[in-house]
Amino acid sequence: MKKILPGALLAALCAAPVMAEPTGPQRDPLDPTNLRQTVKPIGGQASSATAFNPAMSVIVDGAYYWDNVHGEAFEIIEEADGFAMGGGHDHGSEDGHGGLERGFNLREVEFAFSATVDPYFDAFVMFVFDGDDIELEEAFVTTRALPAGLQAKFGKFLSDIGYINKQHPHSWDFFDRPLVNELLFSDHGLQETGVQLTWLAPTTQYLRIGVEALQGETAGIANHIGEVAPVNGTERILEEASGPRLFTGFAKFAPDLGFAHALQVGASYGYASSFQNTVEHSTRYEDHEGTASFWGVDGVYKYTPAGSVGGQGAFKLQGEYYYRKRDIDRRDVYFACHPAGIDCDDPAAEWQIGDVRNEQSFNERQDGYYLQALYGLAPRWNTGVRIDQVGLTNRTGRGNGEDWDDSRRYSAVLNFMPTEFSRLRLQYSRGDIAVDGERETFNQVFLQFQMSLGVHGAHTF
Amino acid sequence: MRTLLLSLVLLLGAPLSAAALEVAATTPNMGMLARTVGGEHVNVVVLAPGDRDVHYLEARPSMMVGLRRADLLVAVGGELELGWLPAAIQGAANPRLLPGRTGYFEAAATVPLLAAGTPADRALGDVHPGGNPHMYFDPLRMGVAAEALAEVLAGLDGANAATFRANAQAFAARMAQEVEGWRARVADAPGALLYHKDADYLMERLGVPVLGYLEPLPGIPPTARHIRQLVGELEGKPGVVFHMVYESARGPERVARELGWPVFRMTNNVPENGTMDDYVALIESWVARLESV
């Protein structure tokens, strides 16, 4: 001990002020300041990411919620005229991300993992826990080494159509998903399993185009039921269709406007080779079998003044429009004698089990948009407004066909971001929804907190 | 058919040495380094302007355009550009620039970093456990990075290897010489109060004490309590207050007023098309203010 101490003291005194190298007392004559690293491989990276483990992050997203319609605002939105059938709640997932109770809610906890798999692939996996269930939000692999600006992705992912569809809820500027995205696609947007191929053009202005082949399960555009058993020997119109059943294409263009301004505009299109739906009435199944397509345009403009402190004075304008068309063949099959409750032998029974009714073909045309603006009030604070409207064109085909009223929502938001890892949000929304030809209005207040733990990946434009 | 294929292969694989290398630099300082070392053999685009806080940018389409066409990416590194560069590289679909490849260069990976080994605890603010990434503020470290960059450029364009090495050595030699002069000029400087831990490298190189930071923790803006505490500690002593163009002037001005110190609004980058002389002028601007008290 005694021997080591003076030696250590001496070493400490002699050590270079910048960086004491614990081993190797001899200095490189070419490196008097001792700044040279021992040989680093080319392409080296100074990083604290743990060697081979995936980068992990957890996002906790909770809210205090209040509305003036006994907590039923989300149900009212789902009943919006023209969108209620096939809007996603007839089958499968009963409540998605949307539904909140009045009071305190844990909306979701996102668990994200990302890593480079090998020299050829990167992978990303995200689970979402909504308080009851764990759901797989995304799990996909992207290529690293394709030449010529090409990139392929496969797995379950959020489609790259439009602008907001690809974003996770924690990236939104408002609490909730735009109505057009929720009602034309689903309460998870367009989230599918499939493959994507994109190409970034080698131009001086940003141009990226892509195509996707997707399994086709999204309620609003590619709902799939498959073949169902015949009723008393009568085949139903629903047929099995193998995937992929949904094909999309998109293009994004961003002119170079210098660093203070940024603009990106996009267009997208999609075609579903199978769109199926069924509604169980008291005595018959109403079956829809057909195809669907959509097109949309999107744009985002951002202004960030030079020397802006903490986003103060920054401005962002964002909007998207979509138009959806569904070509439907309808054919109803009775599974019980009609009128309901009647004995089948009764001569008053108009319809027998297995009878077919309402054979007709029609198409449905619906659209919607949202437009939102955000302004940086002060460092770390921003405020914004949004208008949502769906059903400007709102024609559905059942019966004699019907034109429905539109539905709207107006929102205002105030965001406070203490650091890039946390956010507090106050949002007020007023809904004005058409339900059965009446206007249903409601007010909603959200007080939300979002916290991001761990290594959180960079966000793209 | 075979000749067509052959010519296609030749066309795609044609050696790049004839044309200048396309370099994408994350900041103007890195653009300066690439331009200084590469000379006329490189075309440099700068992804982020110098008047923004490079911590908090987002990946933009224009960055991806720059990266898509680049043979080499020159970044500060050390996770400084973590918030946007990985996404920009990913979006650029250019496999040459992925970390670990020959087209990916981090200046911070070529030198030892200050404060390496800080606990990875966000309660301590926006910390970088791998070390303070703002190494571009140390002229000598920049000299070392220039020499490492010369080797990378030599690997991409062997015909001009000697030029790259000579340019890098000239840069490193100039920095070593300038540092001597700068150190002498600020030998009696009482010290500086910084906003963020970015100019630590420069202060250490010049031998000027850092008297404190306006940020209570990295990434957290100054609080009233922290300012009172700073004023209490530094009352009666001499010094200067520095903050960057993109940092709020309110806190620095208040501290400066209460202490009776001068406050300076500084830049940490050369102009977008800056040269070695601009980098010397940038450091000069700090030295001149340090020796003013």
Side-chain angles (χ1 to χ4, degrees), chain B residues 29-240:
Chain B
N29 286 336
M30 290 300 120
M32 178 282 298
L33 202 65
R35 226 172 277 119
T36 302
V37 177
E40 63 189 14
H41 306 296
V42 295
N43 289 330
V44 178
V45 293
V46 173
L47 302 181
D51 58 0
R52 316 282 164 140
D53 190 342
V54 77
H55 286 107
Y56 301 117
L57 302 179
E58 56 174 5
R60 292 190 163 208
S62 61
M63 295 172 177
M64 295 174 198
V65 168
L67 291 167
R68 164 80 168 87
R69 298 149 58 87
D71 301 303
L72 175 66
L73 165 67
V74 179
V76 176
E79 301 187 339
L80 181 66
E81 300 103 334
L82 190 66
W84 54 277
L85 189 58
I89 295 176
Q90 224 263 328
N94 181 348
R96 291 188 295 260
L97 310 186
L98 292 171
R101 301 284 170 89
T102 50
Y104 181 88
F105 177 83
E106 270 193 10
T110 68
V111 291
L113 299 181
L114 292 180
T118 313
D121 180 356
R122 294 249 166 83
L124 305 174
D126 197 356
V127 293
H128 297 274
N132 182 334
H134 300 277
M135 50 69 63
Y136 53 84
F137 253 129
D138 177 3
L140 296 191
R141 280 183 171 81
M142 285 291 269
V144 174
E147 289 171 13
L149 179 59
E151 294 308 314
V152 172
L153 286 170
L156 294 169
D157 178 5
N160 295 305
T163 313
F164 299 143
R165 290 185 183 119
N167 289 345
Q169 272 156 21
F171 177 80
R174 166 107 189 255
M175 291 305 126
Q177 181 211 330
E178 297 282 359
V179 163
E180 292 300 315
W182 288 327
R183 282 182 69 94
R185 281 167 58 190
V186 296
D188 300 324
L193 188 57
L194 304 178
Y195 191 99
H196 183 67
K197 292 192 171 187
D198 43 8
D200 282 21
Y201 282 96
L202 182 61
M203 296 302 140
E204 196 200 56
R205 182 56 61 218
L206 297 174
V208 175
V210 176
L211 303 173
Y213 304 94
L214 266 301
E215 289 180 334
L217 293 167
I220 308 290
T223 57
R225 196 173 68 155
H226 183 64
I227 286 177
R228 272 200 306 279
Q229 197 181 334
L230 282 174
V231 170
E233 279 169 18
L234 299 170
E235 195 90 70
K237 295 175 189 162
V240 290

Side-chain angles (χ1 to χ4, degrees), chain A residues 17-19 31 33-37 40 42-49 119 122 142-151 199-206 208 254 256 258-262 264 302 304-310 379-380 418-421 452-456 458-461, chain B residues 47-49 51-52 55-65 68-69 77-79 82-87 90-95 98-102 104-106 108-114 122 126 129-130 138 140-141 144 147 151-152 204-205 219-221 245-248 250 265:
Chain A
V18 174
M19 179 90 175
D31 184 19
T33 46
N34 220 358
L35 288 178
R36 273 165 232 271
Q37 295 281 61
K40 279 260 181 182
I42 283 172
Q45 196 180 16
S47 156
S48 63
D122 288 328
T142 46
T143 58
R144 286 164 66 81
L146 290 189
L150 292 167
Q151 205 164 54
W199 179 60
L200 183 61
T203 44
T204 51
Q205 313 278 313
Y206 180 87
R208 182 164 169 266
D256 191 353
F259 210 84
H261 306 268
Q264 179 179 290
K302 294 186 191 182
T304 325
S308 158
V309 177
R380 309 195 286 171
T419 66
E420 75 239 61
F421 304 108
S452 161
L453 293 67
V455 186
H456 190 57
H459 280 139
T460 190
F461 188 71
Chain B
L47 302 181
D51 58 0
R52 316 282 164 140
H55 286 107
Y56 301 117
L57 302 179
E58 56 174 5
R60 292 190 163 208
S62 61
M63 295 172 177
M64 295 174 198
V65 168
R68 164 80 168 87
R69 298 149 58 87
E79 301 187 339
L82 190 66
W84 54 277
L85 189 58
Q90 224 263 328
N94 181 348
L98 292 171
R101 301 284 170 89
T102 50
Y104 181 88
F105 177 83
E106 270 193 10
T110 68
V111 291
L113 299 181
L114 292 180
R122 294 249 166 83
D126 197 356
D138 177 3
L140 296 191
R141 280 183 171 81
V144 174
E147 289 171 13
E151 294 308 314
V152 172
E204 196 200 56
R205 182 56 61 218
I220 308 290
V245 287
Y246 51 78
E247 289 162 346
S248 168
R250 213 184 310 159
R265 189 165 177 262

Side-chain angles (χ1 to χ4, degrees), chain A residues 285-302:
Chain A
Y285 298 113
E286 176 185 338
D287 295 335
H288 291 187
E289 165 80 52
T291 61
S293 63
F294 72 86
W295 61 265
V297 289
D298 58 276
V300 57
Y301 166 77
K302 294 186 191 182

